[in-house]
Amino acid sequence: MAQAAAVAKPPAPPRRRRASATPRRLPYLLIAPAALLMLGFIAYPVISVFYYSLQEYNPTKPWRNGFAGLDNFVHAFTADPLFWDTLVFSAKWVFVEVGLQLLFGLALALIVNQTFVGRALGRALVFSPWAVSGVLTSAIWVLLYNSQTGITRYLADVGLGSYGTSWLSDTSTVFPAAIVADLWRGVPFFAILILADLQSVSKDLYEAAEVDGAGLKQFWHITLPHLKDAIVLSTLLRAVWEFNNVDLLYTLTGGGPAGVTTTLPLYIANTSVDAHNFGYASALTTVAFVILLFCSVVYLRLSKFGGDK
């Protein structure tokens, strides 16, 4: 009887195992090494710049090195006219470049978004300059602007201009020449981002607008509102990149002639690399960082990025 009762007794339910916290933490543990490396590579240079901005640091004059406090910042704002000249030119450079790149990039994106024969080839040609490195872009345009074998030589052959003219050596033409060179590479960036956003616009909106007879108003009431966030983000990113542009201007003009194309980052590079004044260059870098941070925050707030379209 006892044996039969024991056999008939149902088995006890299995005990629940406590959910282990390891599976939840596993993704964070896996990315932790890479995150720590990135934090080190980013945080250490930033902290170093802030530290040296408060120092008088010049390896060629070690007897003068030491804590300088805010002297570097005071000198930049009160006794260095080159700082203000380069800052004004940087603002001019960013405003003109980003404005023109946005205008031409939007136009190209609208064109290649249409259906036509050879559209794939057209898109490839439009986007190809963005795949070229900045140094190679500079080398291409240096050759194009060469006074002996470049554009001016062929223009002189047809009676437009004179032989030996160098647009990069003339203060009246160097800025437009540099603008055109950077436009060639910067326009595809806007075209790519805007075209990607255009692909997500519902065709039903345009069909309904055509039924209502909207015509050209489709661009203002459908396309532009939909592209708002893409335009805001692309202009902000490109403005930061253009402000920090060194390679193209350094290769094309070296900041000349007569320093008229020297941006603030290029002035910082010359101050640190050529003059070895790393303390003052760090102070200028800190000022540039604060300016970019302030302008970015204000721009995002005014544009209401991420809000209702």
Side-chain angles (χ1 to χ4, degrees):
M1 295 290 294
Q3 292 178 354
V7 172
K9 185 178 180 180
R15 296 178 59 186
R16 282 189 174 183
R17 295 183 179 180
R18 294 181 59 186
S20 175
T22 302
R24 293 197 302 268
R25 297 175 181 172
L26 184 59
Y28 302 100
L29 294 175
L30 292 175
I31 66 174
L36 290 175
L37 284 175
M38 291 181 62
L39 181 63
F41 280 112
I42 295 175
Y44 176 74
V46 171
I47 294 174
S48 297
V49 167
F50 288 145
Y51 170 77
Y52 284 114
S53 67
L54 302 175
Q55 306 289 322
E56 180 72 29
Y57 182 66
N58 189 331
T60 63
K61 300 176 182 178
W63 60 89
R64 298 179 56 182
N65 294 344
F67 182 72
L70 300 177
D71 291 349
N72 288 325
F73 296 97
V74 172
H75 178 74
F77 285 103
T78 62
D80 187 1
L82 289 178
F83 166 73
W84 293 107
D85 292 342
T86 56
L87 183 59
V88 170
F89 178 76
S90 297
K92 176 183 176 182
W93 172 264
V94 170
F95 181 79
V96 175
E97 271 293 345
V98 175
L100 291 178
Q101 288 178 19
L102 172 61
L103 180 63
F104 289 116
L106 177 60
L108 283 177
L110 293 173
I111 291 173
V112 298
N113 190 47
Q114 304 300 317
T115 302
F116 56 89
V117 177
R119 184 174 67 172
L121 178 60
R123 289 181 175 181
L125 293 176
V126 168
F127 300 152
S128 58
W130 183 246
V132 181
S133 68
V135 175
L136 183 56
T137 298
S138 303
I140 292 172
W141 284 93
V142 165
L143 294 175
L144 288 174
Y145 288 145
N146 186 282
S147 59
Q148 303 299 322
T149 59
I151 299 174
T152 55
R153 167 65 184 274
Y154 292 101
L155 291 176
D157 289 340
V158 296
L160 299 175
S162 57
Y163 291 100
T165 301
S166 176
W167 290 343
L168 297 178
S169 300
D170 190 340
T171 56
S172 62
T173 58
V174 63
F175 182 71
I179 288 292
V180 171
D182 200 46
L183 279 178
W184 180 77
R185 185 168 184 262
V187 167
F189 170 77
F190 283 94
I192 293 171
L193 290 184
I194 294 175
L195 177 63
D197 208 28
L198 280 173
Q199 301 296 308
S200 63
V201 181
S202 175
K203 303 298 182 183
D204 296 337
L205 295 175
Y206 291 108
E207 292 175 358
E210 289 180 0
V211 171
D212 293 338
L216 295 177
K217 293 181 179 180
Q218 297 178 23
F219 175 76
W220 299 104
H221 297 285
I222 299 177
T223 305
L224 272 186
H226 186 86
L227 295 176
K228 173 193 167 185
D229 285 350
I231 291 175
V232 171
L233 181 60
S234 58
T235 50
L236 177 60
L237 291 175
R238 197 60 188 161
V240 173
W241 293 342
E242 288 297 344
F243 184 90
N244 293 318
N245 190 333
V246 173
D247 54 354
L248 185 134
L249 287 174
Y250 182 81
T251 307
L252 282 180
T253 67
V260 296
T261 59
T262 302
T263 59
L264 181 57
L266 185 54
Y267 179 46
I268 293 172
N270 293 334
T271 302
S272 58
V273 177
D274 296 338
H276 305 289
N277 193 349
F278 292 99
Y280 187 56
S282 298
L284 295 177
T285 303
T286 303
V287 173
F289 171 78
V290 173
I291 292 174
L292 287 177
L293 180 62
F294 175 78
C295 292
S296 299
V297 172
V298 171
Y299 180 64
L300 291 176
R301 292 294 297 273
L302 292 178
S303 62
K304 298 180 181 180
F305 177 73
D308 295 335
K309 295 179 181 180

